[in-house]
Amino acid sequence: MMEVYFVRHGQTIFNLINRMQGWSDTPLTKQGIEDLRLTGKYLQNTKFDAIYSSDLKRAMDTAEIIKDENLKNPPEIKISSNFREIFFGFFEGSEAAKTWKMLAKPYGCSTQNEVSAKYSIEFAREVLKRADPKQWAEDVNDLGVRIEKAVDQLLLENCMDSRILVVTHGAYIETLLLKYFKSNFGSSRAFPDNGSITITNLTNDDFKLLKFNFVPEIAE
């Protein structure tokens, strides 16, 4: 059984000012770096057989911070686009609140969370994709293809008794959880905090959720 730790990257400038950040990239904030050092210290005695990161810089920087804190001879980080965040297309970098106020209005809502609660997060992603005038934005089905490739990559490249660290993104982890563990969440969102840890067990035939959105600073 493969133990896979999914960590969301640390807080970034766009996270802080609430702008939509998918494939666009902004630096980690000072708070983000401090929070990640806590995550790294929590994991410092956890031996990882492999470390993967999204190919976006905020994730790669996060992986480096956690790796630097690890005391168990951590392996080199493997970079893969299979772990990249969802793409918001035309809406990349836009103010999230203003964008969602516009997108949600036809559905009797004013925020993404209201749309997700009234319909589903999957529906909300589809709303954004349909509204993109450039038709670039991804929905959960588009991201799901990338997630399936990532799961296949983990199974192909690692032994079944491995412990793996994967540094990725908020919507990515949420989509993965709702894809494989929807019964754990029902209609509620499964969006993780910056620097949080979500732990799963993976085999060729099964995928189990052990822990969701564990934040060392809060937990301790």
Side-chain angles (χ1 to χ4, degrees):
M1 185 175 298
M2 188 182 300
E3 195 171 33
V4 186
Y5 288 56
F6 291 94
V7 172
R8 184 186 174 201
H9 64 79
Q11 183 193 70
T12 67
I13 296 293
F14 270 11
N15 293 153
L16 185 62
I17 62 176
N18 197 27
R19 287 186 177 269
M20 298 181 72
Q21 182 177 231
W23 289 8
S24 58
D25 225 346
T26 58
L28 298 175
T29 63
K30 181 179 178 181
Q31 184 64 54
I33 293 169
E34 291 174 358
D35 292 343
L36 288 173
R37 291 207 171 105
L38 289 174
T39 303
K41 287 185 185 303
Y42 178 80
L43 295 172
Q44 66 182 355
N45 290 309
T46 302
K47 180 172 176 53
F48 291 108
D49 299 293
I51 300 175
Y52 290 83
S53 172
S54 155
D55 59 348
L56 296 174
K57 191 174 187 301
R58 61 189 184 274
M60 292 189 287
D61 289 348
T62 295
E64 288 288 354
I65 291 169
I66 295 174
K67 178 177 179 287
D68 287 346
E69 294 287 345
N70 195 273
L71 304 177
K72 296 295 182 179
N73 192 29
E76 291 302 310
I77 299 166
K78 299 180 180 180
I79 309 300
S80 174
S81 61
N82 288 334
F83 301 104
R84 187 188 296 181
E85 180 62 297
I86 198 167
F87 187 36
F88 295 123
F90 176 82
F91 301 105
E92 287 282 341
S94 66
E95 292 185 49
K98 287 184 178 180
T99 297
W100 274 104
K101 186 176 182 180
M102 174 190 68
L103 296 177
K105 187 175 181 180
Y107 305 95
C109 304
S110 58
T111 67
Q112 180 186 11
N113 284 341
E114 287 180 10
V115 174
S116 299
K118 187 174 181 179
Y119 300 96
S120 68
I121 183 59
E122 292 90 346
F123 181 82
R125 301 291 185 208
E126 180 61 29
V127 166
L128 187 141
K129 178 175 181 173
R130 289 201 304 263
D132 183 348
K134 297 294 186 181
Q135 297 297 295
W136 291 338
E138 294 182 317
D139 62 12
V140 295
N141 293 321
D142 299 318
L143 181 55
V145 171
R146 196 152 62 247
I147 289 171
E148 289 173 6
K149 289 180 180 178
V151 170
D152 288 344
Q153 181 178 3
L154 293 176
L155 290 169
L156 178 66
E157 295 180 356
N158 300 282
C159 298
M160 195 48 65
D161 61 350
S162 300
R163 182 180 290 117
I164 312 298
L165 174 64
V166 174
V167 179
T168 182
H169 306 268
Y172 187 101
I173 293 173
E174 179 177 55
T175 304
L176 181 145
L177 294 176
L178 295 178
K179 180 178 177 65
Y180 293 103
F181 311 113
K182 193 171 181 63
S183 62
N184 293 68
F185 298 96
S187 60
S188 63
R189 294 200 62 184
F191 200 84
D193 295 318
N194 290 113
S196 66
I197 304 166
T198 294
I199 305 176
T200 63
N201 278 345
L202 174 65
T203 70
N204 287 307
D205 305 311
D206 198 14
F207 210 172
K208 293 182 179 178
L209 178 64
L210 304 182
K211 186 176 292 187
F212 166 62
N213 199 33
F214 179 82
V215 181
E217 181 182 26
I218 297 172
E220 293 176 353

